[in-house]
Amino acid sequence: IKVHLQITDIEYAELQKKLDAGEITLIDVRNPGELIRDGRIPYAKNVVLMSLGGTMMLSPEEYEARLGFKKPELDSPIAVMCLAGIRSLTAQCALKGIGYTNIRKYKGSFEDWVNQGGLVEYTKEK
């Protein structure tokens, strides 16, 4: 039996290229406090891990109203990330569990992005 292994990780260079080209949705599952403290990757969309399942089950209209960006289609290319890559694995499994088919985990996540010299945005506390 041949098992087709899907590439489920994405590395910095490919992610950077796809983000710049608008070819992938990057979902950051860290808590808002972490984004304020550590900064965030430009283009990344924040959907907190604890509410990820419920959030991704919202209707497209409700999703957009609540999060301020379009809900990805089930087959849209999505990358998930967190701080070091642990929570992103949980997010990847959760998204696959509700029917998303094109989910890749950003290996190393935010720590890797910073180590690679990626651009980081800082949000002012409200």
Side-chain angles (χ1 to χ4, degrees), residues 38-55:
D38 303 324
R40 57 184 289 276
I41 296 175
Y43 307 120
K45 310 295 187 197
N46 183 226
V47 183
V48 179
L49 183 60
M50 270 179 51
S51 62
L52 181 70
T55 301

Side-chain angles (χ1 to χ4, degrees), residues 8-122:
T8 56
D9 282 353
I10 189 164
E11 305 283 337
Y12 173 81
E14 184 186 354
L15 180 61
Q16 174 92 58
K17 213 168 78 181
K18 287 184 180 289
L19 282 173
D20 286 344
E23 294 172 357
I24 197 163
T25 300
L26 177 60
I27 295 179
D28 186 338
V29 299
R30 294 178 297 154
N31 298 319
E34 291 179 271
L35 302 182
I36 292 165
R37 186 186 67 222
D38 303 324
R40 57 184 289 276
I41 296 175
Y43 307 120
K45 310 295 187 197
N46 183 226
V47 183
V48 179
L49 183 60
M50 270 179 51
S51 62
L52 181 70
T55 301
M56 298 310 278
M57 300 292 277
L58 294 172
S59 71
E61 298 76 27
E62 217 178 327
Y63 182 97
E64 195 168 346
R66 195 176 292 182
L67 295 168
F69 63 94
K70 207 166 153 359
K71 182 179 177 180
E73 301 290 328
L74 288 176
D75 60 352
S76 295
I78 297 173
V80 287
M81 60 156 291
C82 55
L83 182 63
I86 313 291
R87 286 171 287 178
S88 59
L89 181 59
T90 305
Q92 185 181 35
C93 294
L95 288 169
K96 283 183 173 174
I98 57 174
Y100 281 84
T101 56
N102 194 357
I103 308 291
R104 295 172 71 186
K105 178 170 67 69
Y106 176 23
K107 200 175 174 186
S109 285
F110 189 73
E111 289 179 348
D112 180 68
W113 183 270
V114 172
N115 291 339
Q116 299 279 353
L119 191 64
V120 175
E121 291 179 340
Y122 293 92

